């Protein structure tokens, strides 16, 4: 059942195909495994071995071919590099394809990458084309001493870590949404639709991540592989439940943001209508006054009062009276 002795040579000469390897003893902290000691670690009956490969390295395929414990279906899945999220039985273990955020993009959810993983009780193999946030976070946790008792737990922890990072994003969105809600409901504060639009966009991206995971996890838990242990199934069920709660929270946040956008649009419309009403009233009051001043301002002969020294004052009284009469008529017919 041991792998070919050439595996160590392949890993040693791969120059970056193996990103990292760790062995998790039954008792004790995780131990880093050098490329030249992978075959020996595979021959240990107790504990778990985790290998993380870089598929952008051309020799990664040779390294996967040298892993005889890896089922042929898993090798084909790694080679296909299908980005569609999935989680299903593969040989005596499980194979997962999960979308993740690229590690070097400051958590920008629009820059996505894919992680492929296969695991059975004693071995876990993960691979990616570009550094992924969830894998790097799990690697850091392992460096700090996190212990893993089964190979399938590596896959479950990847989903778990991804969920934790998405929850951090959701918590930030919730805090920002609370601030925007106060701004929308308080007329003294400046509220704009642009932050709400960005929040809804980010929420939609988070929801796409969580929705894809929830679908594959629910399907996997509903029809688990026959060889999967009860403890491993409970882990995946717990992760699926966490993703369901997270997805509900994201949906609630997106709906709140939508309602706030509607409220903001209504507030803006009411403010615009109020200003237009004021402008319309001023225009209606000034219209007769403008007509009067226009008539008496014509440079033609025969203008009444043109020779009267008190003509200007009579016209002024007429203009003011026309404005007051118009204002009275607007109030009389309840147009104001």
């Amino acid at each position: 059942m041991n792998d070919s002795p050439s595996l160590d040579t392949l890993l040693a000469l791969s120059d970056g195909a193996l990103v990292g390897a760790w062995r998790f003893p039954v008792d004790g902290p995780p131990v880093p495994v050098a490329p030249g000691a992978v075959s020996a670690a595979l021959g240990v009956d107790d504990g778990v071995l985790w290998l993380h490969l870089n598929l952008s390295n051309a020799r990664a395929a040779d390294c996967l071919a040298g892993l005889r414990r890896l089922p042929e279906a898993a090798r084909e899945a790694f080679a296909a590099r299908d980005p569609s999220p999935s989680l299903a039985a593969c040989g005596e273990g499980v194979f997962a394809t999960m979308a993740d955020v690229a590690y070097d993009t400051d958590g920008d959810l629009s820059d996505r990458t894919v992680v492929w993983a296969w695991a059975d009780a004693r071995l876990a193999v993960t691979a990616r084309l570009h550094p992924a946030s969830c894998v790097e976070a799990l690697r850091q946790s392992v460096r700090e001493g996190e212990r893993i008792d089964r190979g399938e737990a590596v896959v479950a922890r990847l989903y778990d870590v991804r969920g934790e990072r998405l929850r951090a994003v959701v918590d930030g969105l919730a805090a920002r949404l609370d601030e925007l809600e106060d701004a929308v409901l308080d007329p003294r504060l400046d509220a704009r639709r642009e932050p709400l639009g960005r929040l809804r966009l980010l929420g939609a991206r988070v929801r796409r991540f969580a929705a894809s995971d929830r679908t594959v996890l629910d399907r996997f838990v509903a029809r688990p592989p026959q060889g999967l242990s009860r403890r491993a199934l409970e882990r995946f069920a717990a992760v699926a439940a966490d993703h369901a709660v997270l997805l509900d929270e994201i949906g609630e946040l997106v709906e709140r943001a939508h309602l706030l956008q509607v409220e903001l649009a209504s507030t803006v419309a009411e403010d615009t209508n109020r200003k237009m009403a004021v402008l319309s009233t001023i225009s209606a009051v000034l219209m007769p006054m403008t007509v009067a001043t226009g008539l008496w301002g014509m440079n033609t002969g025969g203008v009444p009062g043109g020779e009267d020294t008190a003509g200007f004052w009579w016209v002024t009284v007429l203009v003011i009276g026309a404005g007051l009469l118009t204002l009275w008529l607007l109030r009389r017919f309840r147009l104001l």
Side-chain angles (χ1 to χ4, degrees):
M1 197 71 181
N2 291 340
D3 295 88
S4 170
S6 64
L7 175 61
D8 289 342
T9 304
L10 288 171
L11 292 173
L13 297 177
S14 62
D15 190 23
L18 181 66
V19 180
W22 295 266
R23 191 174 72 85
F24 301 89
V26 176
D27 296 320
V31 179
V33 179
V38 170
S39 290
L42 285 168
V44 178
D45 293 333
D46 63 335
V48 177
L49 179 64
W50 175 24
L51 305 177
H52 183 47
L53 300 175
N54 176 17
L55 292 181
S56 63
N57 189 304
R59 295 189 177 181
D62 297 332
C63 297
L64 290 171
L67 277 169
R68 294 183 180 178
R69 286 180 55 182
L70 198 65
E72 186 62 30
R75 289 196 189 91
E76 294 176 356
F78 279 119
R81 301 179 185 181
D82 184 1
S84 303
S86 64
L87 177 62
C90 182
E92 297 181 357
V94 296
F95 191 91
T97 302
M98 59 181 297
D100 193 29
V101 181
Y103 179 70
D104 52 355
T105 55
D106 297 327
D108 185 3
L109 296 181
S110 62
D111 196 347
R112 304 174 68 175
T113 186
V114 181
V115 177
W116 296 272
W118 177 88
D120 62 6
R122 297 303 177 193
L123 176 63
V125 181
T126 58
R128 47 73 171 172
L129 287 170
H130 306 286
S133 296
C134 66
V135 179
E136 297 305 318
L138 183 56
R139 288 178 61 197
Q140 181 60 35
S141 181
V142 169
R143 293 189 192 100
E144 295 172 357
E146 179 178 350
R147 298 169 61 181
I148 295 177
D149 57 352
R150 290 184 62 89
E152 299 96 338
V154 173
V155 179
R157 282 291 291 135
L158 289 177
Y159 280 108
D160 198 22
V161 171
R162 243 282 308 282
E164 292 173 359
R165 299 180 75 85
L166 291 180
R167 179 166 292 282
V169 175
V170 171
D171 291 342
L173 291 178
R176 179 57 179 153
L177 186 59
D178 291 339
E179 297 175 0
L180 292 174
E181 191 171 35
D182 293 337
V184 170
L185 298 179
D186 190 343
R188 297 173 299 175
L189 299 178
D190 181 21
R192 299 180 180 179
R193 283 176 287 183
E194 183 180 356
L196 282 172
R198 289 198 302 267
L199 189 147
R200 288 187 65 190
L201 176 60
L202 185 56
R205 289 173 177 170
V206 175
R207 182 163 57 182
R208 282 196 293 270
F209 274 102
S212 63
D213 286 348
R214 180 183 181 182
T215 300
V216 298
L217 286 167
D218 286 347
R219 189 181 302 135
F220 181 81
V221 172
R223 294 185 295 274
Q226 294 182 355
L228 190 66
S229 68
R230 181 177 180 180
R231 185 172 181 180
L233 180 59
E234 290 175 352
R235 285 177 183 249
F236 283 106
V239 173
D242 291 340
H243 275 70
V245 174
L246 179 63
L247 190 59
D248 291 340
E249 292 180 2
I250 296 170
E252 182 181 349
L253 285 177
V254 173
E255 183 63 23
R256 282 181 60 195
H258 173 67
L259 292 177
L260 284 178
Q261 279 189 313
V262 173
E263 179 67 24
L264 180 58
S266 176
T267 302
V268 172
E270 290 178 1
D271 184 60
T272 302
N273 292 337
R274 184 167 54 252
K275 292 177 181 178
M276 291 301 297
V278 173
L279 292 176
S280 299
T281 301
I282 295 174
S283 300
V285 172
L286 293 179
M287 186 180 298
M289 303 169 67
T290 304
V291 172
T293 55
L295 288 174
W296 264 270
M298 292 187 299
N299 295 322
T300 57
V303 177
E307 303 297 332
D308 189 352
T309 57
F312 171 78
W313 301 109
W314 286 112
V315 173
T316 300
V317 171
L318 176 64
V319 169
I320 296 175
L324 293 176
L325 177 62
T326 303
L327 186 61
W328 179 82
L329 289 173
L330 291 175
R331 290 185 175 275
R332 175 69 177 78
F333 292 101
R334 296 180 179 180
L335 297 178
L336 285 181

